[in-house]
Amino acid sequence: MKAEYISKAYEIAKDRYAEIGVDTEDVLKKLQDFHLSMHCWQADDVKGFEVQAGALSGGIQSTGNQPGAARNIDELRQDILKAKSLIPGTHRLNLHEIYGDFKGKIVDRDEVTIEYFQSWIDWGKEYNTKLDFNSTSFSHPKSGNLSLANPDKSIRDFWIEHTKRCRDISNAIGEAQNDPCIMNLWVHDGCKDVSVNHYQYRKLLKESLDEIYAEKKPMMKDTIEGKVFGIGLESFTVGSHDFYTAYAASHQMMQTIDTGHYHPTEMPADKVSALLNFLPELMLHVSRPVRWDSDHVTIMDDATQDLFSEIVRADALDRVHYGLDFFDGSINRIGAYVIGSRAAQKCMLRALLEPSKKISEYEIAGEGYKVLALLEEQKAMPWQAVYDEFCMRNNVPVGHEFILDIDKYQSEIINKRA
């Protein structure tokens, strides 16, 4: 697409938005400061690099058999850098513990240390990529149905030690990058069928969390993530949203809103204003549930747009952290990264381009029809021209031009992977 056409379209859009009181240059500055935390597990279908790793298990599942998944740490880093080169802006990388640089050593999860992530720290500095982190309770011989809520103290202590070590790693990463590393905790704990020990399991989970979070660490931020159910654990989830909301509020810590972790009729966007009245910050895991927590690639659907609009309307840009969480092995994995990341950016852009102050004033004044009118008009405003300008200023392909880059990478790199 010719630069002159993009610039002309942007100038027209700039004038259109100025007419309703929106400064597109100010919006572009805010969008430049919108940093996604890209998830490493899209590149290899959540396999990781443990020497003794088995099949993916523990309440989650990746589907699809598209050839070319990253097979080692070098290929994964190569794929992530390719994806980042096609996404405007500067973004973080979210690591699960199983993605350590173990160099062929068998390292059990209660033995992991910062040593196995030093190369990630070095890589992040070299490629201007700050890191976030996750403990990993799934796909392990001791995962079973219960980890931190397990009545077996030896198993519970194993996962407590694992999670403590993950916090130590996160803090060391934060110190090295001079920016707090956000560590998310999600455990799959639950029951496949009818259970009568709900209180006991939740009491054990609370005690485990209390032990894990007993020591404050200055260069990392903790966040906890609930879920409706896990695959094979459909009847009861120990770490439900109610449980973690109560825990986060009582400990004044972050909670993660994963857009796939709610009942189909619930609106994740509505959680933002509710939780921010009680919690200091929020973490997002943005994906696309199709009938269940299926982790499809993020697109510009109503749920995602509503989520980002709610953040902007709540004036909470500096209180929310933005992560992605989908793992689709049925399509080109680089394409999945680029489509999902750009979709999230576009939703944030549209939210920032909304004349929210004026719409809010109309609502407070009781002029409901004007609220509805302006919201409807926003749907047809030339936001795409603003995003095209954003891409051009960041020297990444505009529009669908990234498809050619991905096809070339597929031909030259991915197709050569056995």
Side-chain angles (χ1 to χ4, degrees), residues 133 165-174 181 183 219-220:
F133 206 70
R165 286 172 176 258
C166 287
R167 293 186 76 230
D168 290 339
I169 292 166
S170 299
N171 194 66
I173 290 172
C181 171
M183 192 193 112
M219 289 307 292
M220 56 90 64

Side-chain angles (χ1 to χ4, degrees), residues 243-359:
F243 177 91
Y244 280 132
T245 298
Y247 194 91
S250 62
H251 291 74
Q252 282 302 284
M253 60 189 296
M254 270 197 286
Q255 186 172 353
T256 299
I257 296 177
D258 187 304
T259 53
H261 287 192
Y262 295 89
H263 290 287
T265 55
E266 284 190 281
M267 297 174 58
D270 196 45
K271 315 297 178 185
V272 172
S273 58
L275 293 174
L276 283 177
N277 272 287
F278 300 94
L279 306 180
E281 298 175 276
L282 293 176
M283 181 73 196
L284 302 183
H285 276 185
V286 186
S287 66
R288 176 170 47 111
V290 177
R291 303 188 185 278
W292 61 291
D293 179 30
S294 51
D295 290 299
H296 283 61
V297 177
T298 301
I299 60 172
M300 289 183 62
D301 55 9
D302 289 343
T304 307
Q305 185 61 64
D306 289 345
L307 179 64
F308 286 105
S309 294
E310 187 67 16
I311 293 166
V312 173
R313 293 166 186 169
D315 193 24
L317 288 173
D318 60 344
R319 295 178 62 195
V320 180
H321 306 273
Y322 311 90
L324 300 173
D325 187 8
F326 48 81
F327 34 99
D328 190 339
S330 69
I331 62 175
N332 182 289
R333 293 170 184 83
I334 312 299
Y337 269 133
V338 177
I339 294 166
S341 300
R342 285 185 172 223
Q345 284 185 315
K346 291 173 183 177
C347 287
M348 177 56 80
L349 172 64
R350 291 182 64 187
L352 291 168
L353 288 170
E354 179 184 280
S356 53
K357 184 178 180 181
K358 180 179 292 187
I359 295 173

Side-chain angles (χ1 to χ4, degrees), residues 400-415:
H400 61 268
E401 291 176 353
F402 65 81
I403 292 176
L404 297 175
D405 288 79
I406 294 174
D407 283 350
K408 182 180 179 183
Y409 187 80
Q410 173 85 39
S411 175
E412 296 179 353
I413 305 295
I414 293 178
N415 287 348

Side-chain angles (χ1 to χ4, degrees), residues 33-206:
D33 199 38
F34 172 60
H35 308 295
L36 292 167
S37 191
M38 295 171 60
H39 53 310
C40 70
W41 50 94
Q42 164 59 40
D44 78 329
D45 305 338
V46 208
K47 294 184 178 70
F49 306 125
E50 290 180 324
V51 175
Q52 72 277 30
L56 183 63
S57 65
I60 62 174
Q61 179 179 335
S62 179
T63 57
N65 56 0
Q66 176 77 14
R71 300 166 296 179
N72 53 58
I73 198 167
D74 292 328
E75 290 181 354
L76 183 130
R77 288 171 175 168
Q78 182 182 29
D79 288 354
I80 289 169
L81 289 175
K82 182 60 184 178
K84 281 168 63 70
S85 74
L86 302 174
I87 303 165
T90 304
H91 304 291
R92 302 169 73 97
L93 180 67
N94 196 6
L95 295 171
H96 251 287
E97 181 274 336
I98 55 174
Y99 287 83
D101 190 0
F102 301 114
K103 301 185 185 301
K105 291 178 62 177
I106 295 177
V107 183
D108 211 347
R109 296 189 195 171
D110 64 341
E111 300 172 338
V112 68
T113 65
I114 188 60
E115 169 191 353
Y116 304 105
F117 294 89
Q118 184 58 52
S119 73
W120 275 115
I121 292 172
D122 298 338
W123 180 88
K125 288 181 178 179
E126 181 178 358
Y127 293 103
N128 191 27
T129 303
K130 293 178 179 177
L131 305 174
D132 294 316
F133 206 70
N134 300 261
S135 56
T136 310
S137 67
F138 51 82
S139 300
H140 187 276
K142 292 184 179 179
S143 291
N145 291 344
L146 297 164
S147 61
L148 292 176
N150 201 309
D152 185 328
K153 188 176 185 301
S154 65
I155 293 178
R156 192 167 69 252
D157 286 347
F158 175 90
W159 290 112
I160 289 172
E161 180 64 22
H162 164 74
T163 314
K164 284 182 175 180
R165 286 172 176 258
C166 287
R167 293 186 76 230
D168 290 339
I169 292 166
S170 299
N171 194 66
I173 290 172
E175 289 176 345
Q177 65 191 15
N178 197 31
D179 187 78
C181 171
I182 298 174
M183 192 193 112
N184 185 62
L185 183 149
W186 169 77
V187 294
H188 57 277
D189 295 32
C191 301
K192 179 175 177 59
D193 215 325
V194 176
S195 163
V196 298
N197 291 308
H198 293 190
Y199 182 83
Q200 178 185 358
Y201 297 142
R202 284 178 170 151
K203 184 173 182 292
L204 290 171
L205 178 56
K206 179 184 180 300

